[in-house]
Amino acid sequence: MASLKYFLIRTVLFVVPFAVFMVIGIGAILSAIFAVIFAFAVNFLFLNRQRNAAAGEVRDVFSGRKEVRTKQELKDAEVEDALDDAQRGQAGDAQGPMDASAGSTSGERTASGERTAASAERIVASGERTANGADGGESVEGHVSGEPNDADPGSSPKL
C-alpha cells in the first residue's frame, strides 16, 4: 500500500505542475521538463519517509518475507492439501488402520494442524473446487510442504 501511495503522490507532483505550465503557454516539451524538475525536487526534499516505506515494501516482496498470495490462492491451496491428505488416508486404510500419529478420521484437525481424511471428503462432497477446477478431480501430486508423508511416518520429506 505504501508503494501505491508513493506512486500516486509522485504522479500528482508531476501532473499538476505540467498542467499549470501548459496553461501558462510554455509548450509541451518545456512544461514536461519543468514538471519533472519540480516533482524531483519536492520528492527529494519532502517525501523521504514515503520513499523509504515504499522501498521497504518492495524489498519485503522480492526477498520473500511478505507472502503475495490472494485469498483465492490460499483457499485453493487448502482444498488441495485436504484432498492430498484424504488420498493419503485412503492409502493408509488400505495398508492397515491408521495410528494416532498418522491422523484420525474424526474430521478434525490433527495436532500438526493438517486436515484429516474425513474433513477432506466433506470438502469434496460439498462441491468446492479441486486442484483442476472440477468437483472430484485430481489433486496435486507430491507433498510440497516438506513434512513427512502421513501414510508412512518413516518417509523423508519431498521437495
Side-chain angles (χ1 to χ4, degrees):
M1 187 68 179
S3 58
L4 177 64
K5 182 179 174 183
Y6 180 63
F7 170 76
L8 291 175
I9 292 171
R10 297 254 341 237
T11 302
V12 168
L13 285 175
F14 172 78
V15 170
V16 171
F18 180 76
V20 169
F21 291 137
M22 286 297 290
V23 169
I24 291 174
I26 295 178
I29 295 174
L30 285 177
S31 293
I33 292 171
F34 291 151
V36 165
I37 292 170
F38 176 79
F40 173 76
V42 171
N43 175 46
F44 185 76
L45 294 174
F46 301 112
L47 298 180
N48 190 34
R49 188 178 63 206
Q50 289 85 356
R51 182 174 51 251
N52 289 338
E57 185 176 275
V58 171
R59 182 181 54 247
D60 288 346
V61 168
F62 284 106
S63 68
R65 286 186 276 179
K66 185 174 182 182
E67 191 169 312
V68 194
R69 293 178 76 179
T70 64
K71 290 180 182 179
Q72 183 63 39
E73 288 174 329
L74 293 172
K75 184 178 176 183
D76 288 347
E78 186 175 318
V79 171
E80 290 170 1
D81 290 343
L83 289 172
D84 190 35
D85 291 342
Q87 286 181 348
R88 290 182 188 167
Q90 290 171 357
D93 290 342
Q95 295 173 356
M98 295 170 54
D99 64 350
S101 65
S104 66
T105 58
S106 66
E108 299 175 3
R109 291 186 181 263
T110 61
S112 65
E114 294 182 354
R115 289 181 182 250
T116 60
S119 65
E121 290 169 4
R122 270 199 314 273
I123 289 174
V124 173
S126 70
E128 289 189 26
R129 228 167 39 134
T130 59
N132 66 356
D135 293 336
E138 305 167 324
S139 67
V140 176
E141 294 296 326
H143 197 348
V144 180
S145 68
E147 297 175 1
N149 187 343
D150 287 342
D152 184 11
S155 68
S156 62
K158 297 178 185 177
L159 299 177

